[in-house]
Amino acid sequence: MTNTLVKAPFKADHVGSFLRTAPLKEARTAYTNGEIDRAALKAVEDQEIEKLVQKQIETGLKSITDGEFRRAWWHLDFLSGLEGVEEFETEYISQFKGAKTKNKAIKVVGKVAFNDHYMLEHFTFLREAVEKYGDGSQVAKFSIPSPNMLFTRIQEDEYYNGNNEQFYHDTVAAYQKAIQAFYDAGCRYLQLDDTSWIDFVSEERINAVVEKLGMDVQDIINTRVSCLNDAIAKKPEDMLITMHICRGNFRSTYITSGGYDTISDAIFANLNVDGLFLEYDDNRSGDFEPLKNFTRSDQTVVLGLVTSKFPELENPENIKERIQEASQFIPLENLSLSPQCGFASTEEGNELTEEEQWNKIRHVVQIAEDVWGNN
């Protein structure tokens, strides 16, 4: 397994989520309506995840996920599984452009801690499926939200009452325990999804977060860097931890636009992750200039140049040209390719078909082979 991980993130990689299949959607609806029990739902989930694992292997991927098939949300499901955190109905208005999410949110009701999280079973099933259907060159990859998402996405705090230092300490401790628990379950490739960085991609977003927190913008950035670095500080040496950043992904819409300029030092020089998955599928993400702050020869930057939002396949030559453009700032051997985000950050999914989704994945794999050779 260690030899496989030396190459990860792979030259053709992906963020993690896939469109929910028809049998999965039907089973989830039946479960919600009380027509089947949880055991029956799990049986369908297991079956569809095994099919998904085989499909990913068939298309040439080396990092294999469960597509987040057991989740409704990419972040709330994990966060609400932490001790002291609960999901609840809220009245907030969706921030997505032209689309409205379900009114779900999280609140803190007790001390944040990690203890026997149900997603450990999810990972174990995935790992066993990859071992069953793979040839040893694939690795099970699991994604969870960054610890920063707990701080930035809670709607209510009924426990810490403004004691941010203790909240920070408990969250970091919970994540350190989570990372070790996933490692003990066999996870060697963990991804932390972190959309909190969109607070710094535009002047409007920066002004809003500064006003909300009453802190200097650089202090806010430094706190988020420290939170993530502290959370992963005790990770085992043979475990890869990457981070994914995007500007929102729901039903093919987004939250905001803007480049990485303000956070370029933070993410390219100061974060201790092994790889960065970056949204770069259109001009909403800015240019490659911020990549100049890349400093680590042992880190991989995965360029999300292929969109997961729309079915049209990008001109492969244009993608190759953009990869070469990025290589002016980061050595080609430190670059990889992926879609800019998952295909279904929530169970609703983006506006394309399953066939179109797999065409996108094959597109990524083929372009990567043309640029770097075999994955």
Side-chain angles (χ1 to χ4, degrees):
M1 183 177 287
T2 301
N3 290 336
T4 300
L5 288 174
V6 170
K7 296 193 257 181
F10 297 96
K11 293 308 177 185
D13 217 307
H14 65 118
V15 171
S17 65
F18 285 101
L19 296 172
R20 310 307 195 253
T21 61
L24 186 60
K25 290 179 179 179
E26 292 167 3
R28 190 169 295 278
T29 298
Y31 175 74
T32 300
N33 294 337
E35 298 166 4
I36 62 172
D37 61 14
R38 178 160 291 279
L41 172 61
K42 182 181 182 299
V44 176
E45 291 173 341
D46 290 351
Q47 181 182 57
E48 294 305 299
I49 289 170
E50 287 203 334
K51 291 179 183 177
L52 178 70
V53 166
Q54 294 174 75
K55 187 69 173 182
Q56 290 173 80
I57 293 171
E58 176 191 317
T59 56
L61 289 173
K62 298 299 184 182
S63 59
I64 310 298
T65 75
D66 65 1
E68 301 180 7
F69 273 16
R70 303 187 200 270
R71 306 186 203 183
W73 302 76
W74 65 273
H75 57 330
L76 299 187
D77 294 57
F78 177 84
L79 294 174
S80 61
L82 295 172
E83 290 189 10
V85 183
E86 291 183 358
E87 186 178 287
F88 72 108
E89 293 281 345
T90 183
E91 296 181 358
Y92 79 99
I93 299 175
S94 172
Q95 297 178 325
F96 285 88
K97 311 294 183 182
K100 190 175 187 303
T101 62
K102 294 174 182 175
N103 289 340
K104 297 284 188 179
I106 51 172
K107 60 183 177 180
V108 175
V109 297
K111 179 179 178 178
V112 174
F114 181 93
N115 184 32
D116 195 28
H117 198 290
Y118 67 89
M119 283 195 182
L120 290 171
E121 290 186 11
H122 296 181
F123 172 76
T124 297
F125 183 87
L126 170 65
R127 176 181 56 76
E128 291 174 349
V130 173
E131 292 171 354
K132 178 179 179 180
Y133 296 107
D135 60 11
S137 67
Q138 300 86 8
V139 61
K141 172 183 175 179
F142 205 71
S143 299
I144 62 174
S146 159
N148 283 320
M149 298 310 299
L150 185 56
F151 296 119
T152 60
R153 294 299 180 266
I154 59 167
Q155 294 287 316
E156 298 178 10
D157 177 5
E158 301 174 0
Y159 181 78
Y160 291 99
N161 297 317
N163 187 346
N164 293 330
E165 183 176 346
Q166 189 62 49
F167 188 11
Y168 178 100
H169 176 273
D170 291 346
T171 299
V172 166
Y175 265 80
Q176 288 179 345
K177 191 173 181 180
I179 289 168
Q180 185 62 50
F182 277 106
Y183 179 86
D184 293 342
C187 182
R188 299 296 183 269
Y189 188 1
L190 184 70
Q191 178 178 293
L192 302 177
D193 295 326
D194 195 338
T195 61
S196 74
W197 299 102
I198 67 175
D199 287 341
F200 312 106
V201 301
S202 69
E203 186 174 349
E204 178 185 5
R205 300 283 305 192
I206 291 172
N207 291 338
V209 73
V210 167
E211 180 179 354
K212 176 183 178 181
L213 299 179
M215 297 169 59
D216 175 79
V217 62
Q218 193 57 51
D219 289 338
I220 301 171
I221 292 173
N222 292 344
T223 298
R224 294 190 187 176
V225 169
S226 296
C227 178
L228 201 144
N229 283 345
D230 288 347
I232 67 176
K234 297 181 180 180
K235 81 173 183 72
E237 288 187 8
D238 60 337
M239 185 183 200
L240 275 168
I241 295 185
T242 60
M243 184 181 74
H244 167 244
I245 301 174
C246 80
R247 291 149 185 78
N249 186 54
F250 174 73
R251 289 190 178 277
S252 298
T253 63
Y254 61 94
I255 293 175
T256 191
S257 302
Y260 298 96
D261 306 78
T262 303
I263 55 173
S264 59
D265 277 335
I267 64 174
F268 295 119
N270 299 331
L271 282 177
N272 297 329
V273 293
D274 299 297
L276 293 165
F277 283 74
L278 301 179
E279 183 176 48
Y280 260 125
D281 59 324
D282 61 22
N283 58 15
R284 289 186 304 104
S285 303
D287 57 29
F288 290 139
E289 185 71 20
L291 300 183
K292 66 185 180 183
N293 288 311
F294 177 83
T295 60
R296 287 180 49 184
S297 61
D298 61 342
Q299 189 180 70
T300 299
V301 172
V302 186
L303 301 173
L305 297 170
V306 173
T307 189
S308 67
K309 295 181 184 294
F310 306 108
E312 295 77 19
L313 294 180
E314 293 82 355
N315 183 318
E317 297 308 313
N318 290 346
I319 299 298
K320 294 173 189 177
E321 288 176 7
R322 295 200 69 194
I323 293 172
Q324 291 301 320
E325 182 184 348
S327 72
Q328 298 174 25
F329 302 97
I330 298 177
L332 187 63
E333 60 265 27
N334 292 94
L335 294 172
S336 292
L337 179 67
S338 77
Q340 102 291 346
C341 197
F343 293 92
S345 298
T346 68
E347 61 185 340
E348 289 83 0
N350 283 343
E351 302 299 319
L352 68 171
T353 66
E354 287 184 56
E355 180 181 1
E356 291 165 342
Q357 164 188 262
W358 292 113
N359 287 341
K360 287 280 183 174
I361 292 295
R362 295 187 190 95
H363 203 46
V364 169
V365 171
Q366 184 59 61
I367 294 172
E369 287 181 356
D370 290 348
V371 174
W372 291 283
N374 289 333
N375 197 16

